[in-house]
Amino acid sequence: MELTRRRLLQAGLLTGAGLAASACGSGSGAGSASLAGKKMAVWVWDGCISPNVLKQAVAHFTQTKVTPSVIGGDFKQKLVTTMTSRAFLPSITGVKGEDIASFKGNYADQFVDLNTLGAGKVTSQYVGWKLKQATTKDGKLLGLPIDIGPCALFYRQDVFAKAGLPTDPKDVFAAASTWDDYFALGVKLKKANPKSFMIDDGTSPFTYTVQQGTKRFIDENNHFIGDQDHIRTAWDRSIKAMQLGIVQPFADPGSTDSNAAYNNGTAASSVGAAWHYLDLVQAAPKTSGKWRVASMPGGPANFGGSFLTIPAQGGDHKLAFEVITWLLNPQNEAQTWVDNGNFPANTGSYTLPTMTAPVPFFGGQKAIEIFAPAAQKIQAQYEAPSDAAVSDPFQSELKNVWAKHKDPEKAWSDAVSTAKQVAQRQGVN
């Protein structure tokens, strides 16, 4: 799921939050109903939920001892291992957005169906397409969404101005409402300033074109569709951007070279999810006030977003659900946005002063005016359990074209061939 993730604020906040930084042994125990009212273990990862909100939860729920634990390393693997052993399971656990499909397909019976706990009374608060990601084919709701990743175009207003391009967010979107228009704007930028590039990542047009659709690499009948037109269109879009010369020289996201490009204007814009905001803050803090955000080319898309779930063997399910809905209420979701950069899945937060305030990094622009409309227009996508593994070869081969100038047709052929092999090993038809 992730490109680079938020690191600027998380480390300092987590240090002072009083959370238990632990491994897998911090749960409440297999068949732990006997511990109900005494201890409620909550597993999260670094940056999952605001540490301030978690700290407040400890004080708020006096009928139990809420014990948040920050689980390091491979969170999914540790959760799977614990579920398999059926020992030391937490009462509540996060599940990352890129992992929910796998859990739905292989471990659905290990989670409580939240519908049985009254989820129907609160689901209207959350964006519906995200709830579908956590819903099984037979209608079981395995989790409530913590956050989502509505995408937008982040751009350097000062660089655009010097190149004679539009600078107001509405004008930028009007000039770059389609991918082709966006590329044309990139060509204009390059002519005006050969040292600036419109696109910071050669894989970006591919990635976000896929995110804008309803189909990915495997269909609902478990058939490989990564060689079909919708994927080829996304592939060709990245190749076109490279061939136009509007993609900056290769730099790994989060690297020194990548950060330098954001600072010196080499990277004039970047398509990314709402959480990408703090990536930019971390990479280029001295550019604060020079960035703006506009609606992304080609239509709304989502990238990222995770869930809170209740393991079936984890203890007091009713109380656990009460804790989850409290953690994910509008006020707490808004606080998680401020502290961690996670954009709320609870739409009730969108009108709160915390969310509607001007953002200094964006020159005082109210970013919610871009992200909130996008969040509510995103289309639901089907994502198979093996989708992430099958999609990796396409990303790898695009990087070969971007970084090593590999022949695009050869790279496409190799990507499809490798993806099919991965799919077969994963049991995809």
Side-chain angles (χ1 to χ4, degrees):
M1 175 199 78
E2 298 175 334
L3 299 178
T4 56
R5 286 298 270 173
R6 308 160 304 279
R7 291 288 176 247
L8 180 69
L9 301 178
Q10 294 166 0
L13 289 173
L14 286 168
T15 299
L19 305 186
S22 66
C24 291
S26 60
S28 53
S32 56
S34 60
L35 296 178
K38 296 181 180 179
K39 183 178 180 182
M40 179 155 291
V42 181
W43 281 13
V44 295
W45 53 88
D46 183 358
C48 175
I49 294 178
S50 163
N52 290 317
V53 170
L54 290 169
K55 187 175 182 180
Q56 291 164 18
V58 174
H60 180 82
F61 289 95
T62 57
Q63 69 272 49
T64 187
K65 185 177 181 181
V66 174
T67 56
S69 297
V70 179
I71 307 299
D74 189 332
F75 190 92
K76 177 188 176 183
Q77 187 54 53
K78 289 181 178 180
L79 182 55
V80 168
T81 299
T82 307
M83 284 183 164
T84 302
S85 67
R86 296 181 180 270
F88 301 108
L89 277 160
S91 300
I92 298 169
T93 182
V95 171
K96 295 184 179 183
E98 65 267 36
D99 298 330
I100 192 67
S102 176
F103 281 113
K104 279 198 309 181
N106 302 314
Y107 302 95
D109 62 338
Q110 299 272 8
F111 295 94
V112 176
D113 175 8
L114 301 187
N115 291 316
T116 65
L117 300 174
K121 297 179 181 179
V122 300
T123 50
S124 63
Q125 300 175 22
Y126 303 91
V127 287
W129 56 266
K130 191 64 176 177
L131 288 168
K132 288 183 179 179
Q133 289 186 3
T135 303
T136 64
K137 289 183 178 180
D138 58 357
K140 295 177 181 177
L141 179 63
L142 303 190
L144 287 181
I146 303 168
D147 64 315
I148 54 177
C151 299
L153 175 64
F154 302 84
Y155 65 96
R156 284 280 298 267
Q157 186 269 348
D158 59 327
V159 176
F160 274 32
K162 290 179 182 179
L165 302 182
T167 57
D168 181 82
K170 291 182 179 178
D171 294 335
V172 169
F173 178 65
S177 61
T178 69
W179 284 101
D180 285 342
D181 289 342
Y182 178 47
F183 291 174
L185 206 64
V187 172
K188 291 180 181 179
L189 172 67
K190 191 75 185 305
K191 287 181 179 179
N193 184 356
K195 294 183 179 180
S196 288
F197 299 86
M198 187 62 78
I199 298 175
D200 60 334
D201 186 333
T203 69
S204 178
F206 173 83
T207 298
Y208 291 101
T209 297
V210 173
Q211 296 299 126
Q212 287 171 324
T214 58
K215 299 185 294 183
R216 295 180 60 81
F217 300 87
I218 302 167
D219 68 16
E220 295 187 51
N221 295 315
N222 201 37
H223 293 139
F224 175 77
I225 55 173
D227 55 355
Q228 293 186 4
D229 289 347
H230 66 292
I231 299 298
R232 182 64 200 235
T233 296
W235 174 275
D236 288 344
R237 192 158 281 157
S238 267
I239 298 301
K240 180 179 180 180
M242 295 181 208
Q243 292 174 339
L244 287 171
I246 60 174
V247 180
Q248 74 174 42
F250 177 78
D252 279 318
S255 67
T256 300
D257 288 343
S258 175
N259 292 348
Y262 292 131
N263 278 280
N264 61 30
T266 298
S269 77
S270 179
V271 174
W275 47 259
H276 188 43
Y277 153 50
L278 283 189
D279 286 340
L280 297 174
V281 173
Q282 180 187 19
K286 293 182 179 179
T287 64
S288 179
K290 297 180 179 180
W291 290 86
R292 301 291 185 272
V293 59
S295 299
M296 73 174 292
N302 180 74
F303 199 103
S306 303
F307 302 87
L308 286 181
T309 67
I310 300 176
Q313 299 294 320
D316 188 336
H317 300 158
K318 184 177 180 181
L319 183 57
F321 185 68
E322 184 179 342
V323 173
I324 285 178
T325 55
W326 186 88
L327 288 170
L328 303 182
N329 70 32
Q331 291 75 21
N332 288 332
E333 287 257 85
Q335 189 62 49
T336 292
W337 162 250
V338 171
D339 292 343
N340 288 22
N342 296 353
F343 193 81
N346 190 320
T347 60
S349 67
Y350 296 173
T351 57
L352 297 178
T354 304
M355 298 296 298
T356 59
V359 180
F361 190 79
F362 296 134
Q365 182 185 354
K366 295 182 178 181
I368 190 69
E369 295 177 354
I370 301 298
F371 293 127
Q376 299 185 66
K377 295 177 183 177
I378 292 165
Q379 302 182 82
Q381 277 192 334
Y382 173 73
E383 187 170 356
S386 301
D387 189 89
V390 172
S391 67
D392 282 347
F394 294 90
Q395 294 285 339
S396 297
E397 289 297 339
L398 278 172
K399 285 186 178 180
N400 286 336
V401 178
W402 179 24
K404 302 176 182 179
H405 308 292
K406 184 174 180 176
D407 176 71
E409 284 302 319
K410 173 61 174 170
W412 167 257
S413 178
D414 289 348
V416 171
S417 177
T418 303
K420 285 182 176 179
Q421 293 174 27
V422 172
Q424 289 176 352
R425 289 197 295 269
Q426 298 277 338
V428 178
N429 298 321

